[in-house]
Amino acid sequence: MRNSNLYRYTRQAVCLSLFVALAVSCSPVEEISQPTTLAELLPLFTAENVPENGPDEDLNLGGPFGWMTDSVTQSADLPGEGLARYPMIYIGEGYNRIFIVDDGKVVWKYDTGDGNELDDIWMLKNGDLLFTRMYWAAKVTPDKRQVWRYDCKEGEEIHTIQPVGDDEAVMLVNSHPARLVRFNHQTGTIVWEKDFTFTDEGTHLQSRRMRITKDNTLLLCYLTEHKVVEYSLDNFEPIREFKVDKPWAAIRLKNDNTLITLENEKRTIEVDKNDSIVWEISLSELPEAYRLADCQSVCRLQNGNTILCSRGDNGKSPQLVEVTPEKEVVWVVKDWQHLGPATSVQILSEEGLSENPGDLER
């Protein structure tokens, strides 16, 4: 990977950065308060300077976009309050529009074009969105300017990315060999790269998720090799292995357990330090009317509940289900007409920042 391929800033953005740097050096330093929850940043997405469509937005889904209120889910006989339950970012494979939802309606969207898939996304503490798009990854501002983008080489794919610290992020490039890349998304400089070997001859099914933990380790899902391996980021030596069937996602919880979604088995398991399963839920345990078609990503909320995400089987099943530790279903989203698949969501009312590994259990 070359630095010139890692970022593409506009001349205007570079000039603005220089201006800000000069202004800071000549002005008294003022402490800038950080948000407690990312929901505090939502006014950035509805400000007067936010255009209907951004200059790099690919309007593959048609336009003009009709700003949507969730009358479908909210009027249905489903648990919870529909989209009004949480402010969130919502993305899905095959319907490549990024949605931001607040107070029961879509307040912001960004179209990323036909084909491929949205898999991973994070809101940064300044409101920028960092996301993967299979053949590329990008960072977009609330006013829809694309300020960083990486395009894969032929045969490569990117499905997972994570901010780490104020200016850096890590992404996994599926390839032969695959590359874990830590880079500065402000300057585009590479901090380090590490090669990983996957036995799958292709690249598409190598991995869907990696996550950096609060303990400076890496959880890497080997999708078709049926394992999750935890590596030390000090020396990249493996320190633990979970032998599981087709893991789509794995996250380290604040209680030090590991939450893993198993695509083949259609279940999610929570594993403790002793490799014992201490909690699990199979999709077959959900009431038939709320039963998801598949397992993709997962969120553990600070109230102890778990949100399961699904592609939605073309509208035949819900996209999101929230369950309590006792497996009671307390929230269901089923609105294929407006939303499409739910590969991943970020609940913006949770306390913590994306830049701090371990703050948000997703």
Side-chain angles (χ1 to χ4, degrees):
M1 182 188 304
R2 297 183 178 89
N3 287 358
S4 60
N5 194 33
L6 186 63
Y7 69 98
R8 300 188 302 189
Y9 281 111
T10 64
R11 184 187 302 271
Q12 181 181 6
V14 172
C15 292
L16 178 59
S17 298
L18 292 173
F19 173 79
V20 171
L22 288 171
V24 169
S25 66
C26 299
S27 304
V29 176
E30 295 183 5
E31 185 175 346
I32 301 174
S33 62
Q34 294 186 351
T36 302
T37 71
L38 294 172
E40 297 172 34
L41 303 177
L42 287 171
L44 297 175
F45 295 86
T46 56
E48 292 184 358
N49 67 321
V50 179
E52 177 81 10
N53 301 305
D56 298 300
E57 196 169 357
D58 187 339
L59 303 178
N60 62 299
L61 298 176
F65 176 71
W67 297 102
M68 183 266 288
T69 299
D70 182 28
S71 58
V72 176
T73 298
Q74 290 175 355
S75 62
D77 185 20
L78 298 171
E81 301 84 36
L83 297 186
R85 186 173 181 86
Y86 299 114
M88 63 180 171
I89 308 171
Y90 179 112
I91 60 170
E93 295 181 356
Y95 192 73
N96 296 313
R97 173 175 281 164
I98 298 170
F99 293 100
I100 292 183
V101 175
D102 186 33
D103 196 25
K105 57 182 178 294
V106 173
V107 298
W108 189 92
K109 63 88 188 172
Y110 190 86
D111 282 355
T112 65
D114 279 323
N116 315 324
E117 57 192 52
L118 284 163
D119 276 317
D120 208 359
I121 191 166
W122 298 84
M123 183 182 289
L124 305 181
K125 63 184 178 183
N126 65 351
D128 291 352
L129 301 178
L130 191 66
F131 63 92
T132 64
R133 188 56 171 76
M134 187 164 151
Y135 293 137
W136 50 280
K139 184 172 73 169
V140 171
T141 64
D143 60 353
K144 300 189 177 184
R145 292 178 295 111
Q146 195 177 104
V147 293
W148 169 83
R149 174 164 167 156
Y150 170 78
D151 289 286
C152 289
K153 300 174 184 177
E154 185 175 355
E156 295 181 340
E157 297 181 7
I158 303 174
H159 297 277
T160 182
I161 198 166
Q162 182 181 353
V164 181
D166 287 348
D167 300 321
E168 295 180 0
V170 175
M171 63 182 176
L172 180 70
V173 181
N174 286 13
S175 186
H176 287 291
R179 301 188 307 280
L180 189 71
V181 182
R182 182 160 179 162
F183 62 96
N184 187 305
H185 54 78
Q186 300 290 350
T187 66
T189 55
I190 296 173
V191 180
W192 48 253
E193 294 186 359
K194 172 63 179 177
D195 289 349
F196 286 86
T197 301
F198 288 83
T199 60
D200 198 293
E201 293 182 358
T203 57
H204 185 65
L205 297 179
Q206 287 179 339
S207 183
R208 281 296 177 276
R209 272 290 188 275
M210 63 83 201
R211 284 293 184 256
I212 307 297
T213 74
K214 58 182 173 60
D215 298 315
N216 198 40
T217 64
L218 167 73
L219 290 170
L220 181 58
C221 294
Y222 289 72
L223 190 65
T224 55
E225 295 178 49
H226 308 295
K227 62 183 180 180
V228 178
V229 181
E230 184 172 2
Y231 295 92
S232 166
L233 287 178
D234 294 325
N235 55 21
F236 292 102
E237 291 295 323
I239 57 178
R240 190 177 180 188
E241 182 174 313
F242 305 84
K243 293 183 178 180
V244 290
D245 188 16
K246 205 171 183 181
W248 206 101
I251 56 177
R252 179 59 41 79
L253 302 176
K254 292 180 180 178
N255 62 9
D256 290 326
N257 293 345
T258 305
L259 196 63
I260 306 172
T261 60
L262 307 177
E263 190 171 41
N264 272 0
E265 297 182 6
K266 297 187 176 183
R267 67 178 180 137
T268 296
I269 61 174
E270 181 178 341
V271 182
D272 68 12
K273 289 182 176 182
N274 299 315
D275 292 335
S276 298
I277 296 176
V278 296
W279 184 84
E280 65 178 301
I281 185 166
S282 297
L283 299 187
S284 60
E285 297 180 75
L286 299 173
E288 186 173 356
Y290 310 147
R291 192 168 299 160
L292 300 178
D294 48 54
C295 296
Q296 289 196 299
S297 64
V298 64
C299 301
R300 174 61 56 82
L301 302 180
Q302 289 161 0
N303 64 7
N305 292 355
T306 302
I307 296 178
L308 308 172
C309 301
S310 170
R311 286 191 294 265
D313 195 20
N314 292 310
K316 297 176 184 177
S317 65
Q319 296 109 305
L320 298 174
V321 168
E322 178 184 350
V323 297
T324 67
E326 296 75 32
K327 306 182 187 181
E328 177 190 0
V329 175
V330 294
W331 183 47
V332 175
V333 169
K334 185 180 181 182
D335 186 352
W336 191 259
Q337 176 184 349
H338 296 115
L339 295 174
T343 299
S344 182
V345 295
Q346 181 172 10
I347 303 301
L348 301 176
S349 52
E350 295 286 283
E351 291 187 358
L353 299 176
S354 301
E355 288 87 343
N356 302 333
D359 267 14
L360 305 171
E361 300 170 288
R362 63 179 299 272

